[in-house]
Amino acid sequence: SKTHWHSHFLVSLYTLGSGVQTVNGVDYEITPGCITVLSPLDFHCNTIEKDVKASVCTVKFSDKIFYQKLGDCCTLADFPIVQKLSEEDYNTAKTLFSLLLSEQKKGDARASELFAETLIEQLVILALRTKDRNTQAISSKVIRDALIYIHYNFKKDFKVEEVAKHIGYSANYFSTQFK
């Protein structure tokens, strides 16, 4: 595929074939058992070996799941994640994707949405556990909310006052906290 990015998060599990995934200019070898988790800030492309069948399970999810549920255990600095899973974790990930697929066919929309969100959270946590992380979750709600706004508006030219207003604080207070 050509280099591109998405406005959502993406979790992929490779089950067949091999190739290279380039994320933010870094090449990663992809083989069965690899899991990737990309944020909306990650530019990526896939190159699958020629004449090789490939299979990948992919689910996209919104920033709501990340910021409301996963934001306490990770930050955007933890992404991208491109990891080879242990056999046990790979089997767990395949089961989670299978459950997501079967849940898609259920009728109760709200219960299915909640169940699917939980499965996606488990997939991301599974991937996070395999990654060496030197970053710590941001505990300040002010900073976390500001970073969300900045990350989603990184193409825009904005001032401190605009970020502060968006998260409901004065520019002076926000500047002191953000420093």
Side-chain angles (χ1 to χ4, degrees):
S1 66
K2 291 184 178 184
T3 301
H4 61 283
W5 62 280
H6 304 277
S7 60
H8 50 262
F9 287 81
L10 200 64
V11 180
S12 298
L13 179 68
Y14 293 81
T15 59
L16 182 67
S18 60
V20 173
Q21 171 135 2
T22 304
V23 183
N24 302 330
V26 178
D27 290 340
Y28 299 93
E29 183 181 352
I30 298 297
T31 58
C34 286
I35 192 167
T36 63
V37 184
L38 304 177
S39 81
L41 303 178
D42 295 317
F43 289 81
H44 66 104
C45 69
N46 293 319
T47 308
I48 304 298
E49 289 182 11
K50 194 174 184 175
D51 299 326
V52 172
K53 287 186 178 183
S55 180
V56 61
C57 304
T58 300
V59 64
K60 65 182 181 178
F61 63 97
S62 72
D63 57 346
K64 177 183 119 183
I65 292 174
F66 176 74
Y67 291 114
Q68 290 181 359
K69 307 267 180 118
L70 295 167
D72 290 334
C73 71
C74 61
T75 69
L76 285 172
D78 289 311
F79 300 95
I81 300 171
V82 182
Q83 295 293 128
K84 175 79 172 180
L85 297 174
S86 68
E87 187 174 338
E88 180 183 354
D89 286 345
Y90 175 57
N91 289 330
T92 300
K94 285 193 305 187
T95 300
L96 292 170
F97 269 105
S98 177
L99 288 167
L100 271 168
L101 184 60
S102 66
E103 192 60 31
Q104 202 174 28
K105 300 172 186 170
K106 304 275 192 233
D108 185 359
R110 182 59 192 140
S112 288
E113 180 182 333
L114 209 55
F115 189 66
E117 287 176 2
T118 301
L119 294 171
I120 292 167
E121 289 169 32
Q122 291 177 22
L123 281 165
V124 173
I125 290 167
L126 186 70
L128 280 167
R129 285 193 320 203
T130 64
K131 182 179 180 177
D132 292 332
R133 297 190 306 155
N134 295 323
T135 59
Q136 294 185 3
I138 298 170
S139 60
S140 167
K141 181 170 176 18
V142 173
I143 302 303
R144 193 167 47 231
D145 289 349
L147 287 174
I148 292 167
Y149 182 81
I150 291 167
H151 285 141
Y152 276 93
N153 293 284
F154 70 93
K155 292 181 180 178
K156 215 171 132 181
D157 185 23
F158 52 82
K159 300 195 181 312
V160 171
E161 292 80 13
E162 184 180 339
V163 178
K165 181 180 178 185
H166 178 77
I167 62 172
Y169 290 97
S170 72
N172 288 338
Y173 178 77
F174 169 69
S175 293
T176 303
Q177 295 296 307
F178 198 77
K179 207 176 227 179

